[in-house]
Amino acid sequence: MANALDEAVETAEPKSDAPSSPVEEGAVVAPTPPSVANEAVAPNEAVTPKPAPNGAGKGFNSTGIPIPDRNTAPADAANHPAATLKNRYLIFPSMPLIDLDTPTASAYSVEDRREPGRHLFALICTPGLPTRTRTMVDLRSQTVNGLIPLVDFGPVYWSPLGQSCQVVIFERPLGGRFLDAFIDKPLKINEYDIGKRIFEPLSKALSALSSLDLPHRAIRIDNLFYMDKDRTELVLGECVTSPPGYDQPQIYEPLERAMAMAAGRGYGHVIDDIYALGVIGVFLLLGYNPAAKASNEELIAGKAEWGTYQCLCGNERIPLPLIEPLRGMLSDDAKERWDTAAIEQWLSGQKKTPIQRRGVSKPKTTYKFANHDHLTPRTIAYSFSKNIAEAAKAIKSGKLELWLRQSLSQPETADSIASTMAMTKVHEGSPDGADDILVTKICMRLDPQAPIRYKGFTFMPDGFGAAMAIEYLRKGNLQIPGEILARDLLGYWFACQSPVTPDLSAMDRSFLALRNFAKINEIGFGLERCLYELNRSLPCQSPLLQQSYVDHIEEMLPALDVASEHIDKRSRPVDKHVAAFIATHFKFDIQPHLKALSDPREETSLIGMLSLFALMQWRLSKTPLYGLSSWMGGLLQPAIGTYHSRATRRTIEQEIPALVRQGSLPELFDLIDNADRRGKDNSDFKNAQIEFARAESEIQSFIGADIDQEKIALQTGERFTAVVGVILGMISVTVIIFVKSM
Amino acid sequence: MVKHSNLSPEQLEERRRRGRSNLTWILVVGTFLLVIAAPTMIVLFFGMLPTLVASIIDRSDQKSATFCVGAINFIGVFPYILDLWFDLNSIDAALNFVTDLFAMLVMYSAAAFGWLLFMTMPTVVASFVTVLQQRKVAQLRGEQKTLIEEWGAEVAALVEIERTEQREQHMEDGVSGMAYKNNG
């Protein structure tokens, strides 16, 4: 069996200039809401203030606080009528709510048919962007105080985009955005109010989320709202329309996750939310972003070398009572970072043991790389990942190993780097020995907590799924994720971790299973299977379902039924994405069906496809599928040809139209692959073969090549004559005896 | 004449051995019959001489000519044997019959008729047989055509396989034959 991973690697061309993250490039390829294409760029560039022509960013440019643009244009009401969700909520494309837009989703007015006066708004998610459907389910079923209430969600056909999208409906915050309260005054809250107005409501919300084991991962200053008109009830905004951390400007993310590309920041934990809360606290206390002028690289280098608190607040005047809470919330060590209990303890006036200030151990000499004198392995790793060719040279020169031993006194790290280099040398000339792999592995050794960085694809392991989905959205292929799985870089990352927690072990095992999926180069497996296994809420990306939004297995057959109306009927209704999606979401055993589907023989593959769809319709959908049945019926000629009997074939061909009119795939399958009929066909065919051979044998006995037909006929005549003579003799003897005895 | 070139030496030896055994039995039985029924045996011997000749001439396995000539020849001989049995059953009477020109003419004419029958009838019968075979072949071909129309050309797979095997066997035999020839 061919190895899909190896194939992926063989076809891979190293791209040293590959963009570091899709968000940074802003190259979202799928159709996006009018505002999204621009806004998708925003998060990682957001440290630089941007003009906000008509949105929430108005008036805050001078603060340097990252606030995205919002400029959704209203759609023409005549051409774009209201979309309906679950026959209850009317969403109006002609009535955008720009103030409620998020970086990747546009807001529109909603009317509830059952409760007409209800204040709601809808967020239209970017098609193809993975959403947090599980979180939506949790938040819909239970109210979380301090979080904007999620009312409902689901896919609708969104006419401005010409395709179906995920829509999430929220209760409308009557007091608007938190930032709107500061339009006519400086964006600043004093040290006496900040606890009660900001930390208290938000930490309660985080505490509630923590109890549900749901990290928010979208806590930023422009994602805070007032639910009431009096602006007393502060809540966190939505967190479900994009992958965790995807919309966050880099400054809000803890150092490890900030180094990853936006899509690869990972699911995270509530302590990552507390870090973001700490950043909001700094902004509001100071009234500006103290790191506004720093580039992304400078910010990361600063955080790595001095620590986040020192980097952001080192040169600022922080009120004494807030130093310890901010230091706790902004701690770069996740273990010693404050949790919600610690914040509540502080808010209630209790003192907490101050965090020990531990500076980064200074090396005896700096390590010069890329015109920068590095003090820590972490910044070296970050810099290496940006300059692969130079990094490979530097590593191979042996100076890094020497510096680690002599200047930093880290012989273990130096040894691990030496062994990694030796292993790479063994694989020289093969993909495992490439510079990209060497640098990626060395970076993991230098900074084990940092994300995996390979060819600009930078992600935390718990963000691999989302990163993969965005990569597919951008490039239309999964080449780099495929190479990562093939080279087992995830396994290497887990091997670098110490100590190994149960969570890490579980994640490692799940990636091992994925690697096995990726190795199988058959339909229903491969990298597409990995994509859907890692992104359970990702809608099926098949081009066949371009206009539909299929994120549940129950929706697959009806969507294909609809797709049959406008798709070339000569194409098959199953491609790699459809099969992988079904294999991921369909709970019944379909291995035999997938095996048949992957068969190189067309007829077996068609029967496998029909049996799979028949099983799905039988298990999931009782409604007739006229379009899909017709589509399948038109493709089945090679499968019908598997019957030997021409009469049986004609019978089946005559019966197909009637079954297509019933819209029943199980009936169609039963017609095509009925066990009794097939058994009878096979046995009759064998009998016919035997009959044919018998006839041939008989013919050959008469006219065979080595047979003298005339001679045989003559011999027969001679035998016949002899018999006649004998009979004549016997009769004559009898007559003579009779005559003599008379 | 039947050719024995296709028989192996073992088979030829077996045939010779069986022939000797038969001759022994014939001599034993003949001697016995000569002792107990000498007149009958004399008439039979001289009357059936054409059959003996036919038996010597006829080298086919089936001995069709022998049976045909013998059966008709016996019709000519049998009335005189009956005369012996019903009248005077002595050697003199038997010698009278074999020296009677008319009696011998009857016996040998019967044998000649037998020969005539054997010379003419097989050809006529062979013509009938050939026509019947051709009709049978046409009927079988028709059946095969019907099978192919119903089941497709693959219905002949077994026949094709058999032919292929035969061809391969033929090739192998040819190759081993060549090798044997070259080595020999």
Coordinates of all heavy atoms in Angstrom, one line a residue, chain A residues 644-647 681 684-685 688-696 698-699 702-703 709 713-714 716-722 724-726 728-729 732-733 736-737 740, chain B residues 62 64 67-68 71-72 74-75 78-79 82-83 117-118 121-122 125-126 129-130 133 136-137 140-141 143-144 147-152 154-159 163:
Chain A
H644 N -23.5 -11.5 -15.0 CA -23.1 -12.2 -16.2 C -24.3 -12.3 -17.2 O -24.1 -12.1 -18.3 CB -22.6 -13.6 -15.9 CG -21.4 -13.6 -15.0 ND1 -21.4 -13.9 -13.7 CD2 -20.1 -13.4 -15.3 CE1 -20.2 -13.8 -13.2 NE2 -19.4 -13.5 -14.1
S645 N -25.4 -12.5 -16.6 CA -26.6 -12.7 -17.4 C -27.1 -11.4 -18.1 O -27.4 -10.5 -17.4 CB -27.7 -13.4 -16.6 OG -28.9 -13.3 -17.3
R646 N -27.2 -11.5 -19.4 CA -27.7 -10.3 -20.1 C -29.2 -10.0 -19.7 O -29.6 -8.9 -19.6 CB -27.6 -10.5 -21.6 CG -26.3 -10.0 -22.2 CD -25.1 -10.5 -21.5 NE -23.8 -10.0 -22.1 CZ -22.6 -10.2 -21.6 NH1 -22.5 -10.9 -20.5 NH2 -21.6 -9.8 -22.2
A647 N -29.9 -11.1 -19.5 CA -31.3 -10.9 -19.2 C -31.4 -10.2 -17.8 O -32.3 -9.3 -17.6 CB -32.0 -12.3 -19.1
D681 N -27.0 -15.8 -10.3 CA -26.3 -15.4 -11.5 C -25.0 -16.2 -11.6 O -24.6 -16.7 -12.7 CB -26.1 -13.9 -11.5 CG -25.4 -13.4 -12.8 OD1 -26.0 -13.4 -13.8 OD2 -24.2 -13.1 -12.7
D684 N -25.6 -20.0 -12.2 CA -26.1 -20.2 -13.5 C -25.0 -20.0 -14.5 O -24.9 -20.7 -15.5 CB -27.3 -19.2 -13.9 CG -28.5 -19.7 -13.1 OD1 -28.5 -20.7 -12.5 OD2 -29.5 -18.9 -13.2
F685 N -24.1 -19.0 -14.2 CA -23.0 -18.7 -15.1 C -22.0 -19.9 -15.2 O -21.6 -20.3 -16.2 CB -22.3 -17.4 -14.7 CG -21.1 -17.1 -15.6 CD1 -21.3 -16.7 -16.9 CD2 -19.9 -17.1 -15.0 CE1 -20.2 -16.4 -17.7 CE2 -18.8 -16.8 -15.8 CZ -19.0 -16.4 -17.1
A688 N -23.5 -22.5 -17.2 CA -23.5 -22.2 -18.6 C -22.0 -22.4 -19.1 O -21.9 -22.9 -20.2 CB -23.8 -20.7 -18.8
Q689 N -21.1 -22.1 -18.3 CA -19.7 -22.4 -18.7 C -19.4 -23.9 -18.9 O -18.8 -24.3 -19.9 CB -18.7 -21.9 -17.7 CG -18.4 -20.4 -17.8 CD -17.4 -19.9 -16.8 OE1 -17.4 -20.3 -15.6 NE2 -16.5 -19.0 -17.2
I690 N -20.0 -24.7 -18.0 CA -19.8 -26.1 -18.1 C -20.5 -26.6 -19.3 O -20.0 -27.5 -20.1 CB -20.3 -26.8 -16.8 CG1 -19.4 -26.4 -15.6 CG2 -20.4 -28.3 -17.0 CD1 -20.0 -26.8 -14.3
E691 N -21.7 -26.1 -19.6 CA -22.5 -26.5 -20.7 C -21.8 -26.2 -22.0 O -21.7 -27.0 -23.0 CB -23.9 -25.8 -20.7 CG -24.8 -26.1 -21.8 CD -25.3 -27.5 -21.7 OE1 -25.2 -28.2 -20.6 OE2 -25.8 -28.0 -22.7
F692 N -21.2 -25.0 -22.0 CA -20.4 -24.5 -23.2 C -19.2 -25.5 -23.4 O -19.0 -25.9 -24.6 CB -20.0 -23.1 -23.0 CG -19.4 -22.5 -24.2 CD1 -20.2 -21.7 -25.1 CD2 -18.0 -22.6 -24.5 CE1 -19.6 -21.2 -26.2 CE2 -17.5 -22.1 -25.7 CZ -18.3 -21.3 -26.5
A693 N -18.6 -25.8 -22.4 CA -17.4 -26.6 -22.5 C -17.8 -28.0 -22.9 O -17.1 -28.6 -23.7 CB -16.7 -26.7 -21.1
R694 N -18.9 -28.5 -22.4 CA -19.4 -29.8 -22.8 C -19.7 -29.9 -24.4 O -19.3 -30.8 -25.1 CB -20.6 -30.2 -22.1 CG -21.1 -31.6 -22.3 CD -22.5 -31.8 -21.8 NE -23.5 -30.9 -22.5 CZ -23.9 -31.1 -23.8 NH1 -23.4 -32.1 -24.5 NH2 -24.7 -30.2 -24.3
A695 N -20.4 -28.8 -24.8 CA -20.7 -28.7 -26.2 C -19.4 -28.6 -27.1 O -19.3 -29.3 -28.1 CB -21.6 -27.5 -26.5
E696 N -18.5 -27.9 -26.6 CA -17.2 -27.7 -27.3 C -16.5 -29.1 -27.4 O -15.9 -29.4 -28.4 CB -16.3 -26.7 -26.6 CG -15.1 -26.3 -27.3 CD -15.3 -25.7 -28.7 OE1 -16.4 -25.1 -28.9 OE2 -14.4 -25.8 -29.6
E698 N -17.9 -32.0 -27.3 CA -18.6 -32.9 -28.2 C -18.3 -32.5 -29.6 O -18.0 -33.4 -30.5 CB -20.1 -32.7 -27.9 CG -20.8 -34.0 -28.3 CD -22.3 -33.9 -27.9 OE1 -22.6 -33.2 -26.9 OE2 -23.1 -34.6 -28.5
I699 N -18.2 -31.2 -29.9 CA -17.9 -30.7 -31.2 C -16.5 -31.2 -31.6 O -16.3 -31.7 -32.7 CB -18.0 -29.2 -31.3 CG1 -19.5 -28.8 -31.2 CG2 -17.4 -28.7 -32.6 CD1 -19.7 -27.3 -31.0
F702 N -16.1 -34.6 -32.9 CA -16.5 -34.8 -34.3 C -15.5 -34.2 -35.2 O -15.1 -34.8 -36.2 CB -17.9 -34.2 -34.5 CG -19.0 -34.8 -33.8 CD1 -20.0 -34.1 -33.2 CD2 -19.1 -36.2 -33.7 CE1 -21.0 -34.7 -32.5 CE2 -20.1 -36.8 -33.0 CZ -21.1 -36.0 -32.4
I703 N -15.1 -32.9 -34.9 CA -14.3 -32.2 -35.9 C -13.0 -31.7 -35.4 O -12.5 -30.7 -35.8 CB -15.1 -31.0 -36.5 CG1 -15.5 -30.1 -35.3 CG2 -16.3 -31.5 -37.2 CD1 -16.0 -28.7 -35.8
Q709 N -12.3 -37.5 -39.7 CA -13.8 -37.7 -39.6 C -14.3 -38.9 -40.6 O -15.1 -39.7 -40.2 CB -14.5 -36.4 -40.0 CG -15.9 -36.3 -39.5 CD -16.5 -35.0 -39.9 OE1 -15.8 -34.1 -40.4 NE2 -17.8 -34.8 -39.7
A713 N -16.1 -42.3 -39.6 CA -17.4 -42.7 -40.2 C -17.3 -44.1 -40.9 O -18.3 -44.9 -40.7 CB -17.8 -41.6 -41.2
L714 N -16.2 -44.3 -41.5 CA -16.0 -45.6 -42.2 C -16.0 -46.7 -41.1 O -16.6 -47.8 -41.3 CB -14.8 -45.6 -43.0 CG -14.7 -46.7 -44.1 CD1 -15.8 -46.5 -45.1 CD2 -13.3 -46.6 -44.8
T716 N -17.3 -46.7 -38.3 CA -18.7 -46.8 -37.8 C -19.5 -47.7 -38.7 O -20.2 -48.6 -38.3 CB -19.4 -45.4 -37.6 OG1 -18.5 -44.6 -36.8 CG2 -20.7 -45.5 -36.9
G717 N -19.3 -47.4 -40.0 CA -20.0 -48.2 -41.0 C -19.6 -49.7 -41.0 O -20.5 -50.6 -41.1
E718 N -18.3 -49.9 -40.8 CA -17.9 -51.3 -40.7 C -18.4 -52.0 -39.5 O -18.9 -53.2 -39.6 CB -16.3 -51.3 -40.7 CG -15.7 -51.0 -42.0 CD -14.2 -50.8 -41.9 OE1 -13.7 -50.8 -40.7 OE2 -13.5 -50.6 -42.9
R719 N -18.5 -51.3 -38.4 CA -19.0 -51.9 -37.2 C -20.5 -52.2 -37.5 O -21.0 -53.3 -37.1 CB -18.9 -51.0 -36.0 CG -17.5 -51.1 -35.4 CD -17.6 -50.5 -33.9 NE -18.0 -49.2 -33.9 CZ -17.1 -48.1 -34.1 NH1 -15.8 -48.4 -34.3 NH2 -17.6 -46.9 -34.0
F720 N -21.2 -51.2 -38.0 CA -22.6 -51.4 -38.3 C -22.8 -52.6 -39.2 O -23.7 -53.5 -39.0 CB -23.1 -50.1 -39.0 CG -24.6 -50.2 -39.3 CD1 -25.6 -50.0 -38.3 CD2 -25.1 -50.4 -40.6 CE1 -26.9 -50.0 -38.6 CE2 -26.4 -50.5 -40.8 CZ -27.3 -50.3 -39.8
T721 N -22.0 -52.7 -40.3 CA -22.1 -53.8 -41.2 C -21.9 -55.2 -40.5 O -22.6 -56.2 -40.8 CB -21.1 -53.7 -42.4 OG1 -21.3 -52.4 -42.9 CG2 -21.3 -54.7 -43.5
A722 N -20.9 -55.2 -39.6 CA -20.6 -56.5 -38.9 C -21.8 -56.9 -38.1 O -22.2 -58.0 -38.0 CB -19.4 -56.3 -38.0
V724 N -24.9 -56.0 -38.6 CA -26.0 -56.4 -39.6 C -25.7 -57.9 -40.0 O -26.6 -58.7 -40.0 CB -26.0 -55.5 -40.8 CG1 -26.9 -56.1 -41.9 CG2 -26.6 -54.1 -40.4
G725 N -24.4 -58.2 -40.3 CA -24.1 -59.6 -40.8 C -24.4 -60.6 -39.7 O -25.0 -61.6 -39.9
V726 N -24.0 -60.2 -38.4 CA -24.2 -61.2 -37.3 C -25.7 -61.4 -37.1 O -26.2 -62.5 -36.9 CB -23.5 -60.6 -36.0 CG1 -24.0 -61.4 -34.8 CG2 -22.0 -60.7 -36.2
L728 N -28.1 -61.0 -39.3 CA -28.6 -61.7 -40.4 C -28.3 -63.2 -40.3 O -29.2 -64.1 -40.5 CB -27.9 -61.2 -41.7 CG -28.7 -61.4 -43.0 CD1 -30.0 -60.6 -43.0 CD2 -27.8 -60.8 -44.2
G729 N -27.1 -63.5 -39.8 CA -26.7 -64.9 -39.6 C -27.5 -65.5 -38.5 O -28.0 -66.7 -38.7
S732 N -31.0 -66.2 -39.9 CA -30.9 -67.3 -40.9 C -30.8 -68.6 -40.2 O -31.5 -69.6 -40.5 CB -29.7 -67.1 -41.8 OG -29.9 -65.9 -42.5
V733 N -29.9 -68.7 -39.2 CA -29.8 -70.0 -38.4 C -31.1 -70.4 -37.8 O -31.5 -71.6 -37.9 CB -28.7 -69.8 -37.4 CG1 -28.7 -70.9 -36.4 CG2 -27.3 -69.7 -38.1
I736 N -33.4 -71.7 -40.5 CA -33.0 -73.0 -41.0 C -33.3 -74.0 -40.0 O -33.9 -75.1 -40.4 CB -31.4 -73.0 -41.3 CG1 -31.1 -72.1 -42.5 CG2 -30.9 -74.4 -41.5 CD1 -29.7 -71.7 -42.6
I737 N -33.1 -73.8 -38.7 CA -33.4 -74.8 -37.7 C -34.9 -75.0 -37.7 O -35.4 -76.2 -37.7 CB -33.0 -74.3 -36.3 CG1 -31.5 -74.3 -36.2 CG2 -33.6 -75.2 -35.2 CD1 -30.9 -73.6 -35.0
K740 N -35.9 -77.1 -40.9 CA -35.4 -78.5 -40.8 C -36.3 -79.3 -39.8 O -36.5 -80.5 -40.0 CB -33.9 -78.5 -40.3 CG -32.9 -78.2 -41.4 CD -32.7 -79.5 -42.2 CE -31.6 -79.2 -43.3 NZ -31.5 -80.4 -44.2
Chain B
Q62 N -11.5 -54.0 -34.2 CA -12.9 -54.5 -34.1 C -13.2 -55.8 -34.8 O -14.1 -56.5 -34.5 CB -13.9 -53.4 -34.7 CG -13.9 -52.1 -33.9 CD -12.8 -51.2 -34.3 OE1 -12.2 -51.4 -35.4 NE2 -12.5 -50.2 -33.5
S64 N -14.3 -56.2 -37.8 CA -15.7 -56.1 -38.4 C -15.8 -57.0 -39.6 O -16.8 -57.7 -39.7 CB -15.9 -54.7 -38.8 OG -15.8 -53.8 -37.7
F67 N -16.2 -60.7 -38.5 CA -17.6 -60.9 -38.0 C -18.6 -61.0 -39.2 O -19.5 -61.8 -39.2 CB -18.0 -59.9 -37.0 CG -17.4 -60.2 -35.6 CD1 -16.4 -59.4 -35.1 CD2 -17.9 -61.3 -34.9 CE1 -15.9 -59.7 -33.9 CE2 -17.3 -61.5 -33.7 CZ -16.3 -60.8 -33.1
C68 N -18.5 -60.0 -40.1 CA -19.5 -59.9 -41.2 C -19.4 -61.1 -42.1 O -20.4 -61.8 -42.4 CB -19.2 -58.6 -42.0 SG -20.4 -58.3 -43.3
A71 N -20.3 -64.4 -40.2 CA -21.7 -64.6 -39.9 C -22.4 -65.1 -41.2 O -23.2 -66.0 -41.1 CB -22.3 -63.3 -39.4
I72 N -22.1 -64.5 -42.3 CA -22.8 -64.8 -43.6 C -22.3 -66.2 -44.0 O -23.1 -67.0 -44.5 CB -22.6 -63.8 -44.6 CG1 -23.0 -62.4 -44.1 CG2 -23.4 -64.1 -45.9 CD1 -24.5 -62.2 -43.8
F74 N -21.3 -68.6 -42.2 CA -21.9 -69.6 -41.3 C -23.3 -70.0 -41.8 O -23.8 -71.2 -41.7 CB -22.0 -69.1 -39.9 CG -22.4 -70.1 -38.9 CD1 -21.5 -71.2 -38.6 CD2 -23.6 -70.1 -38.3 CE1 -21.9 -72.2 -37.7 CE2 -24.0 -71.1 -37.4 CZ -23.1 -72.1 -37.1
I75 N -24.1 -69.0 -42.4 CA -25.4 -69.3 -43.0 C -25.3 -70.4 -44.0 O -26.1 -71.3 -44.1 CB -26.0 -68.0 -43.5 CG1 -26.3 -67.0 -42.4 CG2 -27.4 -68.3 -44.2 CD1 -26.7 -65.6 -42.9
F78 N -24.2 -73.8 -42.2 CA -25.1 -74.4 -41.1 C -26.0 -75.5 -41.6 O -26.2 -76.5 -40.9 CB -25.8 -73.2 -40.4 CG -26.6 -73.6 -39.2 CD1 -25.9 -74.1 -38.1 CD2 -28.0 -73.6 -39.2 CE1 -26.6 -74.5 -37.0 CE2 -28.7 -74.0 -38.0 CZ -28.0 -74.4 -36.9
P79 N -26.6 -75.3 -42.8 CA -27.6 -76.4 -43.3 C -26.9 -77.7 -43.4 O -27.5 -78.8 -43.0 CB -28.0 -75.9 -44.7 CG -27.8 -74.4 -44.6 CD -26.6 -74.2 -43.8
L82 N -26.4 -79.2 -40.0 CA -27.7 -79.7 -39.5 C -28.0 -81.1 -40.1 O -28.5 -82.0 -39.5 CB -28.8 -78.8 -39.9 CG -29.1 -77.6 -38.9 CD1 -30.3 -76.9 -39.3 CD2 -29.3 -78.1 -37.5
D83 N -27.6 -81.2 -41.5 CA -27.7 -82.6 -42.1 C -26.9 -83.6 -41.4 O -27.4 -84.8 -41.2 CB -27.3 -82.5 -43.6 CG -28.3 -81.8 -44.5 OD1 -29.5 -81.6 -44.0 OD2 -28.0 -81.3 -45.6
L117 N -21.1 -57.6 -48.9 CA -21.8 -56.7 -48.0 C -20.8 -55.8 -47.2 O -21.1 -54.6 -47.1 CB -22.5 -57.6 -46.9 CG -23.6 -57.0 -46.1 CD1 -24.8 -56.5 -47.0 CD2 -24.1 -57.9 -45.0
F118 N -19.7 -56.4 -46.8 CA -18.7 -55.6 -46.1 C -18.0 -54.5 -47.0 O -17.6 -53.5 -46.5 CB -17.7 -56.5 -45.5 CG -16.7 -55.8 -44.6 CD1 -17.2 -55.4 -43.3 CD2 -15.5 -55.5 -45.0 CE1 -16.3 -54.7 -42.4 CE2 -14.6 -54.8 -44.1 CZ -15.1 -54.4 -42.8
M121 N -21.5 -51.8 -47.8 CA -22.4 -51.2 -46.8 C -21.7 -50.1 -46.0 O -22.3 -49.1 -45.7 CB -23.0 -52.3 -45.9 CG -24.2 -51.8 -45.2 SD -25.1 -53.1 -44.5 CE -26.2 -52.3 -43.5
P122 N -20.4 -50.3 -45.5 CA -19.8 -49.3 -44.7 C -19.7 -47.9 -45.3 O -19.9 -46.9 -44.7 CB -18.4 -49.9 -44.4 CG -18.6 -51.3 -44.5 CD -19.6 -51.5 -45.6
V125 N -23.1 -46.4 -45.0 CA -23.4 -46.0 -43.6 C -22.5 -44.8 -43.2 O -23.0 -43.9 -42.6 CB -23.1 -47.2 -42.7 CG1 -23.2 -46.8 -41.2 CG2 -24.1 -48.3 -43.0
A126 N -21.3 -44.8 -43.7 CA -20.4 -43.7 -43.4 C -20.9 -42.3 -43.9 O -20.8 -41.3 -43.2 CB -19.0 -43.9 -44.0
V129 N -23.6 -41.3 -41.5 CA -22.9 -40.9 -40.2 C -22.4 -39.5 -40.4 O -22.5 -38.6 -39.5 CB -21.8 -41.9 -39.8 CG1 -21.0 -41.3 -38.7 CG2 -22.5 -43.2 -39.3
T130 N -21.7 -39.2 -41.5 CA -21.1 -37.9 -41.7 C -22.2 -36.8 -41.7 O -22.0 -35.7 -41.0 CB -20.3 -37.9 -43.0 OG1 -19.4 -38.9 -43.0 CG2 -19.6 -36.6 -43.2
Q133 N -23.4 -36.3 -38.2 CA -22.4 -35.6 -37.3 C -22.4 -34.1 -37.7 O -22.3 -33.2 -36.8 CB -21.0 -36.1 -37.6 CG -20.7 -37.4 -36.9 CD -19.3 -37.9 -37.1 OE1 -18.6 -37.5 -38.1 NE2 -18.9 -38.9 -36.3
K136 N -25.2 -32.5 -36.0 CA -25.0 -32.4 -34.6 C -24.1 -31.3 -34.2 O -24.3 -30.5 -33.3 CB -24.4 -33.8 -34.1 CG -24.2 -33.8 -32.6 CD -25.5 -33.9 -31.8 CE -25.3 -34.1 -30.3 NZ -26.5 -34.0 -29.6
V137 N -23.0 -31.1 -35.0 CA -22.1 -30.0 -34.8 C -22.8 -28.7 -35.0 O -22.7 -27.8 -34.1 CB -20.9 -30.1 -35.8 CG1 -20.1 -28.8 -35.8 CG2 -20.0 -31.3 -35.4
L140 N -24.9 -28.1 -31.9 CA -24.1 -27.7 -30.7 C -23.5 -26.2 -30.9 O -23.5 -25.5 -29.9 CB -22.9 -28.6 -30.6 CG -23.3 -30.1 -30.1 CD1 -22.1 -31.0 -30.2 CD2 -23.8 -30.0 -28.7
R141 N -23.1 -25.9 -32.1 CA -22.7 -24.5 -32.3 C -23.8 -23.5 -32.0 O -23.6 -22.4 -31.4 CB -22.2 -24.3 -33.7 CG -20.9 -25.0 -34.0 CD -19.7 -24.1 -33.6 NE -18.4 -24.7 -33.9 CZ -17.5 -24.9 -33.0 NH1 -17.6 -24.6 -31.8 NH2 -16.3 -25.4 -33.4
E143 N -26.2 -24.0 -29.9 CA -26.4 -23.9 -28.4 C -25.3 -23.0 -27.8 O -25.6 -22.2 -26.9 CB -26.2 -25.3 -27.8 CG -27.5 -26.1 -28.0 CD -27.2 -27.6 -27.5 OE1 -26.3 -27.8 -26.8 OE2 -28.1 -28.4 -27.8
Q144 N -24.1 -23.1 -28.3 CA -23.0 -22.2 -27.8 C -23.3 -20.8 -28.1 O -23.0 -19.9 -27.3 CB -21.7 -22.6 -28.5 CG -21.1 -23.9 -27.9 CD -19.7 -24.2 -28.4 OE1 -19.4 -24.0 -29.6 NE2 -18.9 -24.8 -27.6
L147 N -25.7 -19.4 -25.7 CA -25.0 -19.2 -24.4 C -24.2 -17.9 -24.4 O -24.2 -17.2 -23.4 CB -24.1 -20.4 -24.0 CG -24.8 -21.7 -23.6 CD1 -23.8 -22.8 -23.5 CD2 -25.5 -21.5 -22.3
I148 N -23.5 -17.7 -25.5 CA -22.7 -16.4 -25.6 C -23.6 -15.2 -25.6 O -23.3 -14.2 -24.9 CB -21.8 -16.5 -26.8 CG1 -20.7 -17.5 -26.6 CG2 -21.2 -15.1 -27.1 CD1 -19.8 -17.8 -27.8
E149 N -24.7 -15.3 -26.3 CA -25.7 -14.2 -26.3 C -26.2 -13.9 -24.9 O -26.4 -12.8 -24.5 CB -26.9 -14.5 -27.2 CG -26.5 -14.3 -28.7 CD -27.6 -14.8 -29.6 OE1 -28.6 -15.3 -29.1 OE2 -27.3 -14.8 -30.8
E150 N -26.4 -14.9 -24.1 CA -27.0 -14.7 -22.8 C -25.9 -14.4 -21.7 O -26.2 -13.6 -20.8 CB -27.7 -16.0 -22.4 CG -28.3 -16.0 -20.9 CD -29.2 -14.9 -20.6 OE1 -29.8 -14.4 -21.5 OE2 -29.2 -14.5 -19.4
W151 N -24.8 -14.9 -21.9 CA -23.8 -14.8 -20.8 C -22.5 -14.0 -21.2 O -21.6 -13.8 -20.4 CB -23.3 -16.2 -20.3 CG -24.5 -16.9 -19.7 CD1 -25.2 -17.9 -20.3 CD2 -25.1 -16.8 -18.4 NE1 -26.2 -18.4 -19.5 CE2 -26.1 -17.7 -18.3 CE3 -24.8 -16.0 -17.3 CZ2 -26.9 -17.8 -17.2 CZ3 -25.5 -16.1 -16.2 CH2 -26.6 -17.0 -16.1
G152 N -22.4 -13.7 -22.5 CA -21.2 -13.0 -22.9 C -20.1 -13.9 -23.3 O -20.2 -15.1 -23.0
E154 N -17.4 -14.3 -22.0 CA -16.6 -15.0 -20.9 C -17.2 -16.4 -20.5 O -16.6 -17.1 -19.7 CB -16.6 -14.1 -19.6 CG -17.9 -13.7 -19.1 CD -18.4 -12.3 -19.7 OE1 -18.2 -12.1 -20.9 OE2 -19.1 -11.6 -19.0
V155 N -18.3 -16.7 -21.1 CA -18.8 -18.1 -20.8 C -17.9 -19.1 -21.4 O -17.9 -20.3 -21.0 CB -20.3 -18.2 -21.4 CG1 -20.3 -18.4 -22.9 CG2 -21.0 -19.3 -20.7
A156 N -17.1 -18.7 -22.4 CA -16.2 -19.6 -23.0 C -14.8 -19.7 -22.3 O -13.9 -20.3 -22.8 CB -15.9 -19.2 -24.5
A157 N -14.8 -19.1 -21.1 CA -13.5 -19.0 -20.3 C -12.9 -20.4 -20.1 O -11.7 -20.5 -20.3 CB -13.8 -18.2 -19.0
L158 N -13.8 -21.3 -19.7 CA -13.2 -22.7 -19.4 C -12.6 -23.3 -20.6 O -11.5 -23.9 -20.5 CB -14.3 -23.6 -18.9 CG -14.9 -23.3 -17.4 CD1 -16.0 -24.3 -17.1 CD2 -13.7 -23.5 -16.4
V159 N -13.2 -23.1 -21.7 CA -12.7 -23.7 -23.0 C -11.4 -23.0 -23.3 O -10.4 -23.6 -23.7 CB -13.7 -23.5 -24.1 CG1 -13.1 -23.9 -25.4 CG2 -15.0 -24.3 -23.8
R163 N -7.8 -24.6 -23.7 CA -7.0 -24.5 -24.9 C -5.6 -23.9 -24.6 O -4.6 -24.4 -25.1 CB -7.7 -23.5 -25.9 CG -8.7 -24.3 -26.7 CD -9.2 -23.4 -27.8 NE -10.4 -24.0 -28.4 CZ -11.4 -23.4 -29.0 NH1 -11.3 -22.1 -29.1 NH2 -12.4 -24.0 -29.5

